[in-house]
Structure formats: C-alpha cells, structure tokens
Amino acid sequence: MEGKQKKTAKKIVHYLVLIILALIWIVPMFTLVATALKSKQDFYSGISLFKLPDKIAWSNFINAIIKGRLFTYMKNDLIVTCLKVPLGIFIGALASFALTRLKIKHRTGLFIFFLIGMMLPMQAALVPINVIYSKLKLLNTYFGLFYVYVGFGISYAILILRGFMNGIPKDIDEAAYIDGCSKWQLFIRIIFPISKPAVATLLITDFLATWNEYLLASVIINDNAKKTIPVGLMTFVGEHGTDYGYLCAGVLISVIPVIIVYLIFQRYFVEGMAGAVKS
C-alpha cells in the first residue's frame, strides 16, 4: 500500500508541476491575444489584461497590415530566412560529415574551433561588422544580413548535426563504398537523408532564431522598405505613446509562419535533439 501511495503522490506532484509550467506559458499568450482584440480606449479604461473586450477591435489587425506595412516586413524576413536557413544547414551538414566520416587531422580541435563561434557575443561584433559593411556597401542589403546570419549560425548547426551523425553506424559507410559510392554520394544519398530528424530540428530552431533576430537587423538595415519583422514592429511604438492593441495584433500575425514551420517539422524535433545530445 505504501508503494502505491508513493507512486500516486509522485504522479500528483508531477502533474501539478506540468500544470504550473503550462500556465506559465499560456497566460502570457492569452494576455497577448486579449490585448490584440482590445481598442486603445479599452486598454486604458482599466479593463483587466485577462478579460476579453465586449467589442472586438478587428481594426487593430487591419491597421497592422495596412498602416504598419506588416506584410512588407514579413516578406523581407521570409526572403532572408528562406535563403539563410537551408544554406546554413547544408554548410553545417557538410562540415559535420567531414568531422564524423572523413579521415582528417585534429577533428576534435576543429570541432572546438567551430564551437568557439557560439561564445562570441553579437554585441562585440557590431562595430567591426558596421565598419566593414560600410566599406563594402553591404548596409541596407539582404545579402549583408544573410551573410552575417549564416556566419553566426554555423556553430550551432555543426553542434546538432555532428552529434546526430556520430550516432550513425560506420558500417553503412563501408557498405556504400563497396557498392561504388563516392564520398559525395555517401553524403547526399545516405548520411544527409538519415539525418532528417536533426535537419528538421535545425529548421525549426534556426527559422525561429532568424525570424526573430533583432540586434543585427537593427544595425545593418535602416531602410524602412527592407526592415525585417522584429525591427519593423518597433516602428509600431510611438514616440509619445503606444497603441498596444495595434502592436499585439502585429505580433500575432508575425508568428503565423513560425507556427506553420513548427507544425510541419515538430514530429522530428524530439528525435533530432535526442540524437544530438546522445553523443
């Protein structure tokens, strides 16, 4: 009986913790939705953040799209993200393949060298990037933003993909070579497809990180016509006051692409992270 009581108590504690964690995530999201549905008068009238308004202010969403030019910012972000994420993953996969399957010297040292890139804070690179980009005339260009995003994202891609590829049996390589595969064919036809869970994990995390990146985008892009979502949303903040319903409506619309990407690849996410951590 005591054993059953202990198990029951553990289950109760377990579910209570899960409920608390769920509330921590759900409450901010609910307040965001509730605020997006309120007019400016509702927000400043003292109505609770957790209460929906009597009349839904759909004008917030219309203003965010038309007045706030939200679709322009989303288009810019999609251009940069859809170029950066696949290329960054492919370069990371190539490097991970070399570190795990090819006979190269100092593989561990090279891996550590790549990881050092994760330790470099973006703030320390802002001034050098600005000076170099000014000389190369890369400021206010998609390529300038795309190039620096790829550079900062390579380390994380290698960390995830190298861990997953380490778990793929080396016997597969030998069988492929016996069948006449070259190293390139081994990578393209066997190792990369097998690494689909890790690639899906990177697609989700890298898409989210690139889509929401603010610091570098705010320094490199100053042209309103080329601003990405995070920088563009800051234009919703007024100098003498902010319409929070209008701002929250813009935020809600901007997360739609991220949700779509997650729903498509989420079934591979856990498997990919597990494979990366295993090594």
Side-chain angles (χ1 to χ4, degrees):
M1 291 294 292
E2 291 182 3
K4 288 184 178 180
Q5 289 177 351
K6 286 182 179 180
K7 286 183 179 180
T8 303
K10 284 182 179 179
K11 282 186 178 180
I12 292 172
V13 172
H14 178 73
Y15 284 115
L16 282 174
V17 171
L18 290 177
I19 290 170
I20 292 170
L21 291 174
L23 288 173
I24 292 173
W25 285 98
I26 291 171
V27 169
M29 190 64 190
F30 179 80
T31 57
L32 177 69
V33 174
T35 304
L37 299 176
K38 294 175 185 174
S39 65
K40 195 171 185 178
Q41 292 75 18
D42 289 331
F43 186 82
Y44 289 107
S45 66
I47 187 174
S48 172
L49 286 173
F50 305 101
K51 184 179 179 181
L52 293 173
D54 295 329
K55 185 178 180 181
I56 296 176
W58 296 112
S59 58
N60 288 334
F61 296 90
I62 297 172
N63 289 335
I65 294 170
I66 299 174
K67 180 182 173 183
R69 300 195 300 176
L70 190 64
F71 281 174
T72 299
Y73 302 138
M74 292 178 73
K75 179 203 72 175
N76 297 335
D77 220 344
L78 276 174
I79 290 172
V80 176
T81 304
C82 291
L83 287 174
K84 182 267 174 183
V85 173
L87 182 61
I89 291 174
F90 188 69
I91 294 173
L94 286 173
S96 301
F97 177 80
L99 291 172
T100 56
R101 326 303 288 194
L102 302 184
K103 295 179 181 179
I104 57 177
K105 294 182 179 180
H106 312 297
R107 287 192 294 184
T108 303
L110 285 172
F111 177 58
I112 293 172
F113 173 77
F114 282 120
L115 289 187
I116 290 173
M118 296 179 67
M119 304 176 191
L120 176 68
M122 287 185 182
Q123 292 84 349
L126 290 179
V127 174
I129 288 172
N130 208 328
V131 172
I132 294 171
Y133 273 28
S134 296
K135 292 180 179 179
L136 297 176
K137 297 181 179 180
L138 289 175
L139 292 176
N140 289 318
T141 63
Y142 292 135
F143 180 78
L145 196 58
F146 155 78
Y147 183 77
V148 75
Y149 279 173
V150 171
F152 274 104
I154 288 295
S155 298
Y156 181 71
I158 291 174
L159 176 65
I160 297 297
L161 288 168
R162 176 186 175 273
F164 193 90
M165 289 182 183
N166 262 336
I168 300 174
K170 298 295 191 296
D171 295 343
I172 294 177
D173 301 21
E174 296 175 6
Y177 289 139
I178 291 172
D179 289 339
C181 278
S182 64
K183 290 181 173 61
W184 176 252
Q185 289 172 329
L186 174 66
F187 171 72
I188 290 293
R189 296 184 179 181
I190 300 174
I191 302 301
F192 193 68
I194 291 175
S195 303
K196 188 187 294 183
V199 171
T201 299
L202 276 175
L203 274 171
I204 294 172
T205 57
D206 206 14
F207 189 97
L208 180 61
T210 305
W211 183 263
N212 290 330
E213 200 285 320
Y214 172 78
L215 185 61
L216 291 171
S218 65
V219 172
I220 295 172
I221 305 293
N222 295 313
D223 185 355
N224 278 329
K226 295 182 179 178
K227 285 181 178 179
T228 56
I229 277 289
V231 183
L233 285 174
M234 290 305 297
T235 62
F236 288 23
V237 179
E239 184 178 352
H240 302 291
T242 302
D243 187 340
Y244 289 100
Y246 168 48
L247 176 62
C248 291
V251 172
L252 280 178
I253 296 171
S254 70
V255 302
I256 292 174
V258 179
I259 294 173
I260 293 172
V261 170
Y262 179 78
L263 290 176
I264 294 172
F265 297 103
Q266 58 89 21
R267 65 193 182 107
Y268 299 108
F269 184 79
V270 176
E271 186 180 348
M273 289 301 293
V277 173
K278 191 183 295 182
S279 66

